[in-house]
Amino acid sequence: MEGDKPSLALVYQAVQALYHDPDPAGKERASVWLGELQRSMHAWEISDQLLQLKQDVESCYFAAQTMKMKIQTSFYELPADSHVALRDSLLSHIENLRDLSPIIVTQLALAIADLALQMASWKGCVHTLIEKYSSEVSSMPFLIEILTVLPEEVHSRLLRIGANRRTEIIEDLAYYSSTVVTLLFSCVEKTGSNEKMLIKVFRCLGSWFNLGVLDSNFMANNQLLIVLFQVLQRDETSTNLHEAASDCVCSALYAIENVDTNMPLALQLFQGVLTLETAYHMAVAREDLDKVLNYCRIFTELCETFLETIVRSPGQGMGDLRTLELLLICAGHPQYEVVEISFNFWYRLGEHLYKTNDPVLHSIFRPYIQRLLHGLARHCQLDPDHEGIPEDTDDFGEFRMRVSDLVKDVIFLVGSMECFSQLYSTLKEGNPPWEVTEAVLFIMASIAKSVDPENNSTLTEVLEQVVLLPQTVHVAVRYTSIELVGEMSEVVDRNPRFLDPVLNYLMKGLREKPLASVAAKAIHNICSVCRDHMAQHFQGLLDIARALDSFALSSDAAVGLLKGTALVLARLPLEKIAECLSDLCAVQVIALKKLLSQEPSNGKSSDPTVWLDRLAVIFRHTNPIVENGQTHPCQKVIQEIWPVLSETLNKHQADNRIVERCCRCLRFAVRCVGKGSASLLQPLVTQMVGVYQVYPHSCFLYLGSILVDEYGMEEGCRQGLLDMLQALCMPTFQLLEQPNGLRNHPDTVDDLFRLATRFIQRSPVTLLSSQIIVHIIQCAIAATTLDHRDANCSVMKFVRDLIHTGVANDHEDDFELRKQLIGQAMGQHGQQLVTQLVHTCCFCLPPYTLPDVAEVIWEIMLFDRPTFCRWLETALKGLPKETAGGAVTVTHKQLTDFHKQVTSAEECKQKTRTIFCLQH
């Protein structure tokens, strides 16, 4: 599209097709063509013309959106002398199009805001805009829209404006913030109770609160705050206005999180929110759930903001415990969505009290937590007319899971044992309806593991009673009681006399379709905790495993049962393990053989993943203790199974999902027997390399890293493993060298550098002496820019470990040779690596990756500090000193200070902080 400029008629045609073509293929073609237009230089002029012509909403929206996008991502395309004309043009467009559509106004407001942030020559933009448009009421909506999005865009990651420019903008906005608030209040005075305008005013005020630039003292005495609370107190306030006002109060509360430095405003907000209790009750009486949820958000934000004050001085001043009363009132609302809003606050309160560990403080808050738990137990009740088991995956099921997590986090304040006993006594002494019984059992299951199982008569009594529950009780009660039994596996381990009755109870559940999966999970828990006691029941487990598909189990539950069986298998006498493992694997192996002999066209499913996953879990968890010199009992079984796995891999080599499961299964087989899998090494590597040439599935690279980890230190295997690496690297590099290859194949990058890292860890000299190392290092340098968490982490770990082998003198015979080889590699690639790392920190990577980058830089400096200092100086000199908008990105002094801080750092953490400053 960088050729001739398309005609406006053609652009209109494409926009019409995008919105109105009934054929999806036509829409798609129009979308691709318009996307190319947006990326071209012609987009600037065409967007401007479309906005001038004002033909229809669709074309104006496309043009406004394009203009915003170009300013955000391609501002550098424009010469500096065109910036003023662009600004004037955009202001003219927003003025002329203000009545066409609100979404167009928003897009143009964003374009103007993004321009103002990047255009250093536009000084005091807020003042300019207010002066130009504040006198006309008709201009107020778009003026306020610009003033709303301007603070929101300051921290946009799309705008690479640099820390200096951002600081300058924030100072500028702080200077004019009082003017903006005064404008907003005058707007309220002029337009009276115009709802749309009030919503805009509150959104704008919230935006300035979010940026943290409003003067606390000025706001504490501002009439706008009074208007805000009046709107929230009024019963007749509409839903939309109520939401905007609530958002604004929440933003204000968030902005004063440091209460001590914002005292006057903190006090006004604190008192204002406490006046809303009556309004909350009115909303409850009117069954207005939207307003109820808004009030609960405000009350929760109040508690979050004053959390430290509440813990530091409970009941005094702004540590007033009426704040917690407000949340407990919300917890009493019949809709569970209301109490759920406050969960994060209760987590944080629990965390604070746990850290302070003050018994007096705990005693003050205990009654509140007890009331909360009582409310949560009530909210967890299923409807009395509910049929079947509790659902885990619907909204209510997810709510119950969150309740379970919260209860576990705050139970220490009440005492696990005390709470468990109280809950049990409500079941023992009363005769509650089934839904109350089920909810109590659910809360008991949440805390069962935190109750000390040693000599605990209540726990044993509960277990005794639960396994005697008749099959006539509601199926949901039986379901949750089985969950409780699974959570009490520690009690069973301490009291093995319960093992038989417990297993009998769980077996009844396993045979019933609705209870089968939860019973399987409970058996898995019992197997995991009571491995030694369960050895006598291995035959029973084996019988279950053989008949697994006769039970109505989810795939996760079936795999869990096999995991439990494998854990018990590993505790059998060594001489029995091979035969039992063979029996356990037989069902899976027979099923795989049957699939292999099946013709693909006969309509039956030929997907082997179920059986591969089951074999994988058996290999993963069969880990018997084998003394040195003893043959691993699983070795023979895995050798017998290998041909079936190999044939399955061959048959499905084009299917990434199935190949991934094959590799996973083989990975656990290799890990299971360790060096005992040596006979598989050559055929496995030959097959991996052969398939990878045709179908480069990244899981082969991962499997290769496992083989290097197991065999890389064996002298006789090193050359073969290096040959494997070189054979896998060639197709990998071809894949990654394609346009956008790194970005399109992050899994391949991740697994390639896992493999290379394993080599560095297990046999560094083998890799460093090879010819492939140069290409791997070059690929790593290119991949440092990749903004993908796992892939970037693997690349950085490889580079760090690579250099570290030349730094860490581990007194091995090959240290000097390693140091020499790393020296050669760094001499060849060091400058390029450091320059690329500095560039990626500034322009490519999100903040969470910076500690990994810091570790790499730290290792380079430890290896050769003087040379690193020169490399860093050259890299910093190459950074751009100005943005396209003329703002200074970095001064000479800042670069000098940064260089000094990095090169004089005494520990890696200092480097991370310094690099973080470079990015910002």
Side-chain angles (χ1 to χ4, degrees):
M1 178 95 33
E2 288 305 338
D4 294 340
K5 185 179 80 167
S7 68
L8 287 181
L10 193 59
V11 178
Y12 272 125
Q13 202 179 329
V15 171
Q16 288 305 305
L18 180 66
Y19 287 102
H20 303 296
D21 193 328
D23 177 18
K27 279 183 187 289
E28 181 59 28
R29 281 195 301 275
S31 175
V32 169
W33 190 85
L34 289 169
E36 284 178 15
L37 171 64
Q38 286 182 316
R39 287 186 288 277
S40 73
M41 275 293 288
H42 302 308
W44 294 102
E45 191 181 344
I46 285 171
S47 301
D48 192 49
Q49 289 172 341
L50 289 173
L51 291 165
Q52 273 175 348
L53 290 170
K54 195 180 173 181
Q55 189 153 329
D56 54 32
V57 171
E58 285 102 340
S59 62
C60 287
Y61 176 71
F62 169 74
Q65 187 194 40
T66 302
M67 198 61 97
K68 175 203 74 177
M69 202 177 84
K70 294 297 282 184
I71 290 170
Q72 283 178 340
T73 60
S74 309
F75 190 54
Y76 60 85
E77 292 177 352
L78 294 179
D81 58 9
S82 66
H83 294 170
V84 172
L86 175 63
R87 178 193 67 189
D88 295 345
S89 172
L90 286 170
L91 291 173
S92 166
H93 291 320
I94 201 168
E95 208 171 339
N96 294 332
L97 299 167
R98 60 187 161 193
D99 300 323
L100 188 60
S101 164
I103 57 171
I104 293 171
V105 170
T106 299
Q107 293 298 308
L108 288 171
L110 283 163
I112 292 162
D114 291 336
L115 176 66
L117 297 176
Q118 294 180 90
M119 186 175 157
S121 58
W122 187 1
K123 305 287 184 193
C125 65
V126 172
H127 178 69
T128 313
L129 292 165
I130 290 175
E131 205 170 52
K132 186 171 173 123
Y133 296 115
S134 61
S135 54
E136 279 187 55
V137 173
S138 60
S139 302
M140 276 298 189
F142 73 78
L143 171 61
I144 291 177
E145 189 66 28
I146 299 170
L147 293 175
T148 301
V149 298
L150 186 62
E152 290 171 353
E153 290 295 287
V154 170
H155 292 291
S156 166
R157 280 194 58 79
L158 290 171
L159 302 178
R160 292 279 181 173
I161 55 178
N164 290 338
R165 174 64 180 156
R166 193 169 279 112
T167 303
E168 184 187 332
I169 289 161
I170 291 171
E171 286 172 358
D172 195 48
L173 294 183
Y175 182 76
Y176 289 110
S177 61
S178 303
T179 313
V180 172
V181 175
T182 304
L183 169 80
L184 293 176
F185 183 65
S186 75
C187 183
V188 172
E189 284 185 312
K190 283 178 192 169
T191 57
S193 57
N194 181 317
E195 185 182 303
K196 281 186 178 174
M197 190 53 80
L198 267 179
I199 289 172
K200 282 184 174 296
V201 165
F202 291 155
R203 267 194 62 224
C204 186
L205 182 61
S207 175
W208 285 74
F209 268 126
N210 287 336
L211 189 61
V213 292
L214 293 179
D215 180 84
S216 177
N217 293 329
F218 177 76
M219 284 310 302
N221 303 308
N222 197 277
Q223 292 294 306
L224 209 48
L225 218 55
I226 295 168
V227 174
L228 193 58
F229 282 108
Q230 282 172 347
V231 165
L232 288 168
Q233 286 160 354
R234 272 204 302 269
D235 183 33
E236 61 274 15
T237 298
S238 74
T239 303
N240 289 343
L241 179 56
H242 198 275
E243 185 172 7
S246 301
D247 289 344
C248 187
V249 170
C250 288
S251 295
L253 286 164
Y254 186 79
I256 58 146
E257 201 140 28
N258 190 347
V259 173
D260 296 338
T261 57
N262 294 289
M263 264 311 180
L265 179 57
L267 190 58
Q268 290 297 325
L269 290 170
F270 183 84
Q271 291 170 342
V273 174
L274 287 181
T275 66
L276 300 179
E277 186 183 339
T278 309
Y280 168 83
H281 288 300
M282 184 61 77
V284 173
R286 292 195 184 281
E287 296 185 3
D288 190 336
L289 185 59
D290 289 330
K291 285 187 180 178
V292 167
L293 291 168
N294 285 336
Y295 288 124
C296 189
R297 279 197 299 129
I298 293 170
F299 299 156
T300 302
E301 200 63 62
L302 177 78
C303 289
E304 295 254 21
T305 295
F306 291 96
L307 173 60
E308 287 187 18
T309 315
I310 291 167
V311 173
R312 193 172 58 227
S313 50
Q316 298 167 31
M318 284 186 278
D320 193 327
L321 294 177
R322 277 185 298 167
T323 51
L324 298 193
E325 289 289 349
L326 288 174
L327 286 196
L328 289 172
I329 289 169
C330 292
H333 191 277
Q335 298 282 347
Y336 70 84
E337 295 93 340
V338 179
V339 69
E340 195 170 15
I341 290 170
S342 66
F343 277 14
N344 191 57
F345 166 74
W346 295 112
Y347 279 124
R348 286 185 61 207
L349 176 65
E351 196 178 30
H352 265 66
L353 293 171
Y354 187 77
K355 283 177 183 169
T356 50
N357 196 19
D358 178 347
V360 176
L361 211 51
H362 288 193
S363 67
I364 294 171
F365 289 98
R366 185 171 295 120
Y368 293 93
I369 300 298
Q370 282 170 330
R371 285 165 61 194
L372 173 70
L373 293 175
H374 181 75
L376 292 175
R378 197 179 62 257
H379 278 297
C380 284
Q381 288 173 19
L382 297 162
D383 288 334
D385 57 356
H386 178 92
E387 292 180 4
I389 62 171
E391 287 293 333
D392 284 345
T393 50
D394 62 6
D395 288 345
F396 186 55
E398 286 178 11
F399 167 75
R400 286 180 25 132
M401 286 302 105
R402 289 194 67 199
V403 168
S404 177
D405 291 340
L406 177 58
V407 169
K408 286 169 187 162
D409 277 8
V410 298
I411 195 65
F412 72 92
L413 281 163
V414 178
S416 305
M417 188 58 232
E418 186 186 330
C419 183
F420 195 86
S421 300
Q422 280 177 0
L423 288 165
Y424 177 50
S425 66
T426 63
L427 299 182
K428 196 166 128 184
E429 290 158 15
N431 185 20
W434 76 263
E435 69 274 12
V436 174
T437 301
E438 191 279 334
V440 169
L441 289 171
F442 177 77
I443 301 291
M444 287 170 74
S446 301
I447 59 177
K449 277 186 180 168
S450 60
V451 180
D452 183 4
E454 207 64 60
N455 300 321
N456 194 316
S457 58
T458 304
L459 287 177
T460 51
E461 189 183 331
V462 167
L463 201 53
E464 225 163 357
Q465 293 303 311
V466 166
V467 298
L468 293 174
L469 274 174
Q471 286 179 276
T472 51
V473 299
H474 195 291
V475 69
V477 174
R478 291 181 62 208
Y479 180 96
T480 305
S481 70
I482 290 171
E483 275 192 320
L484 175 59
V485 170
E487 292 297 305
M488 294 178 75
S489 44
E490 292 276 359
V491 184
V492 179
D493 192 43
R494 300 289 205 292
N495 301 274
R497 70 181 188 279
F498 286 117
L499 193 54
D500 284 350
V502 161
L503 288 175
N504 288 335
Y505 181 66
L506 296 179
M507 280 306 299
K508 283 180 197 165
L510 194 63
R511 292 190 190 98
E512 290 184 45
K513 187 176 178 180
L515 303 175
S517 290
V518 73
K521 187 181 173 189
I523 293 171
H524 163 210
N525 281 356
I526 300 283
C527 289
S528 301
V529 175
C530 315
R531 290 168 75 174
D532 292 322
H533 297 308
M534 282 297 291
Q536 59 183 308
H537 292 277
F538 182 76
Q539 191 56 49
L541 291 171
L542 193 55
D543 292 340
I544 294 172
R546 282 178 176 144
L548 211 51
D549 292 311
S550 67
F551 303 109
L553 296 174
S554 68
S555 56
D556 284 351
V559 165
L561 252 180
L562 287 173
K563 175 184 171 182
T565 308
L567 288 169
V568 175
L569 168 62
R571 292 296 171 93
L572 298 181
L574 278 187
E575 65 275 8
K576 286 190 176 180
I577 288 178
E579 185 191 344
C580 292
L581 177 64
S582 187
D583 287 345
L584 188 56
C585 295
V587 177
Q588 283 57 246
V589 174
I590 290 164
L592 286 172
K593 282 179 177 172
K594 192 175 172 186
L595 289 177
L596 288 168
S597 63
Q598 200 175 281
E599 287 299 318
S601 58
N602 67 2
K604 289 184 186 172
S605 170
S606 60
D607 185 352
T609 53
V610 169
W611 313 106
L612 291 169
D613 287 350
R614 291 181 183 182
L615 279 176
V617 81
I618 293 167
F619 295 147
R620 184 177 191 175
H621 297 286
T622 305
N623 44 16
I625 298 160
V626 181
E627 301 294 333
N628 279 343
Q630 286 182 309
T631 303
H632 198 289
C634 304
Q635 186 176 323
K636 182 171 171 286
V637 181
I638 287 170
Q639 281 168 349
E640 287 167 1
I641 292 174
W642 157 247
V644 181
L645 294 176
S646 172
E647 217 180 314
T648 303
L649 178 55
N650 242 7
K651 180 176 178 179
H652 298 280
Q653 58 183 276
D655 188 324
N656 182 61
R657 186 178 65 92
I658 295 176
V659 170
E660 235 174 43
R661 305 299 242 289
C662 275
C663 285
R664 186 170 175 271
C665 188
L666 287 163
R667 161 192 165 195
F668 290 123
V670 169
R671 288 291 198 206
C672 175
V673 293
K675 304 288 184 293
S677 61
S679 61
L680 302 183
L681 192 56
Q682 192 180 358
L684 175 54
V685 167
T686 304
Q687 186 172 6
M688 281 166 57
V689 169
V691 175
Y692 193 77
Q693 305 298 320
V694 188
Y695 300 106
H697 304 298
S698 73
C699 52
F700 285 125
L701 300 170
Y702 188 90
L703 186 54
S705 73
I706 302 296
L707 296 176
V708 171
D709 195 39
E710 289 292 341
Y711 294 100
M713 296 178 84
E714 301 289 308
E715 192 60 52
C717 298
R718 286 175 172 172
Q719 187 55 47
L721 291 169
L722 181 64
D723 293 343
M724 173 194 76
L725 173 67
Q726 290 176 320
L728 293 172
C729 275
M730 288 308 130
T732 305
F733 292 151
Q734 284 170 9
L735 188 70
L736 299 179
E737 282 164 7
Q738 293 172 1
N740 289 321
L742 293 166
R743 185 173 293 280
N744 293 341
H745 303 283
D747 291 347
T748 300
V749 175
D750 184 13
D751 292 332
L752 170 67
F753 287 101
R754 279 177 190 270
L755 171 55
T757 302
R758 290 287 194 206
F759 237 112
I760 286 294
Q761 292 166 344
R762 293 287 175 260
S763 185
V765 172
T766 309
L767 182 58
L768 290 167
S769 309
S770 70
Q771 293 179 330
I772 198 74
I773 187 64
V774 172
H775 304 288
I776 293 175
I777 292 172
Q778 285 172 342
C779 183
I781 292 171
T784 55
T785 60
L786 190 57
D787 178 6
H788 182 280
R789 188 184 287 265
D790 293 338
N792 195 279
C793 182
S794 285
V795 172
M796 294 300 173
K797 181 161 177 51
F798 164 71
V799 180
R800 181 217 167 268
D801 285 9
L802 176 80
I803 300 161
H804 188 71
T805 53
V807 173
N809 188 351
D810 46 15
H811 305 294
E812 294 285 336
D813 297 340
D814 63 356
F815 175 66
E816 288 305 322
L817 177 55
R818 286 189 339 237
K819 192 172 178 182
Q820 180 192 335
L821 291 167
I822 294 294
Q824 289 169 7
M826 290 306 289
Q828 203 174 344
H829 306 285
Q831 179 65 72
Q832 188 191 357
L833 174 61
V834 172
T835 302
Q836 184 81 322
L837 289 172
V838 168
H839 176 82
T840 55
C841 286
C842 292
F843 306 113
C844 304
L845 296 183
Y848 64 75
T849 60
L850 298 185
D852 294 338
V853 179
E855 284 194 15
V856 173
I857 289 174
W858 177 251
E859 292 295 336
I860 299 171
M861 193 172 84
L862 290 181
F863 184 73
D864 185 346
R865 192 181 286 254
T867 311
F868 167 70
C869 292
R870 290 199 302 277
W871 287 338
L872 182 61
E873 187 179 346
T874 305
L876 293 173
K877 280 178 180 172
L879 288 175
K881 309 299 184 291
E882 270 192 7
T883 64
V888 175
T889 50
V890 63
T891 65
H892 178 71
K893 183 178 184 307
Q894 284 173 323
L895 287 179
T896 311
D897 289 348
F898 175 79
H899 187 279
K900 186 179 176 184
Q901 284 170 342
V902 170
T903 53
S904 61
E906 294 299 323
E907 57 174 17
C908 192
K909 275 186 182 172
Q910 285 176 266
K911 263 194 173 38
T912 305
R913 286 193 294 270
T914 309
I915 290 170
F916 192 77
C917 295
L918 175 71
Q919 188 180 57
H920 289 265

